[in-house]
Each structure stands twice: as structure tokens, then as C-alpha cells.
Amino acid sequence: MMIPIPDKMKEVMAHEGVVAIVTQGIEGPHMVNTWNSYLRISPDGKLLVPVGYMHVTENNLAQNPRVLITLGTREVEGSHGPGTGFFVEGTGTILDSGPTFDSTKGEFPWARAVLEIKVTTAKQTL
């Protein structure tokens, strides 16, 4: 079941930081990176990631839609001081057409697709 993205995570997304995206394939786990500033939230609450390359990620998702993500920033107060992060679980789909893709492509002209994630867990880690 999809959950709403927590407000604290939205704060993290508003500041720069590295995002790690993990998928599982035949060869094992695969990780790619992007930036907090590239993440968006769709009107229906899904996490959106513009896709430049991510070909292995796309192939993995075709076999297993599970996605794990971490993101963080030092700019948002955490549970124990400066800096916080999130561990996110969900299911992902690569979209290369339709309104979600079109809006992503409009904002990120280099995007060949968009990774749409239905978030099922978002835990603050710091």
C-alpha cells in the first residue's frame, strides 16, 4: 500500500544531497545515484526521478519492481542534530510516454524517461 511522503522527507528533498537507488537483478543488487534536487512528487503522491541512463535499473525493474532509496542532507535538522536522511522502499516503473513523462521531460530536457515510485515505507534514519 502506498503511503504519503513525510513532510520531513520533503524538507530533505528541498536541499541538495545524493540519492542512492537500488534495484535487484539477475546479477545481484545494482545501485545508481541522482540528486535530491531532481526528485519530484506527482499530484497523486508518487516519487518521480528523471532518468538519463539507468538502463540496468530499467531492466531490473522489468523483472522485479522493488526499489530501495536513501537520501539525505546536512541542511535539515535530524533526530540527533544537524543533518537527516531517509530510507525509502517502494515499487518502481519506468515511464517513457504520457503526461508524467511529458512534464518531467519539460523540466529535465535530458531525461529519456521517468522512474515513478509508489512509496510503501519512508523511515527517517538520522
Side-chain angles (χ1 to χ4, degrees), residues 28-39:
H30 176 74
M31 183 180 299
V32 296
N33 294 119
T34 192
W35 299 107
N36 288 356
S37 59
Y38 288 175
L39 301 178

Side-chain angles (χ1 to χ4, degrees), residues 81-115:
T84 193
F86 277 82
F87 171 73
V88 177
E89 294 181 81
T91 56
T93 306
I94 298 288
L95 305 174
D96 60 8
S97 64
T100 300
F101 169 73
D102 293 341
S103 64
T104 299
K105 182 77 172 172
E107 192 171 356
F108 302 99
W110 48 264
R112 68 170 186 86
V114 60
L115 170 55

Side-chain angles (χ1 to χ4, degrees), residues 3 6 9 85-89 121-126:
I3 65 160
M9 186 171 143
F86 277 82
F87 171 73
V88 177
E89 294 181 81
T121 302
K123 297 178 185 173
Q124 189 172 344
T125 56
L126 296 169

Side-chain angles (χ1 to χ4, degrees), residues 2 5 40-48 100 103 116-117:
M2 195 168 92
I5 293 172
R40 299 291 182 267
I41 301 171
S42 70
D44 61 351
K46 295 173 188 149
L47 190 62
L48 305 175
T100 300
S103 64
E116 179 184 74
I117 302 166

Side-chain angles (χ1 to χ4, degrees), residues 38-102:
Y38 288 175
L39 301 178
R40 299 291 182 267
I41 301 171
S42 70
D44 61 351
K46 295 173 188 149
L47 190 62
L48 305 175
V49 183
V51 171
Y53 295 100
M54 296 191 194
H55 297 288
V56 173
T57 299
E58 182 174 15
N59 290 338
N60 288 352
L61 290 172
Q63 299 169 44
N64 179 351
R66 186 168 183 224
V67 180
L68 303 178
I69 298 174
T70 62
L71 67 147
T73 183
R74 297 175 81 177
E75 308 303 318
V76 174
E77 188 71 18
S79 302
H80 307 289
T84 193
F86 277 82
F87 171 73
V88 177
E89 294 181 81
T91 56
T93 306
I94 298 288
L95 305 174
D96 60 8
S97 64
T100 300
F101 169 73
D102 293 341

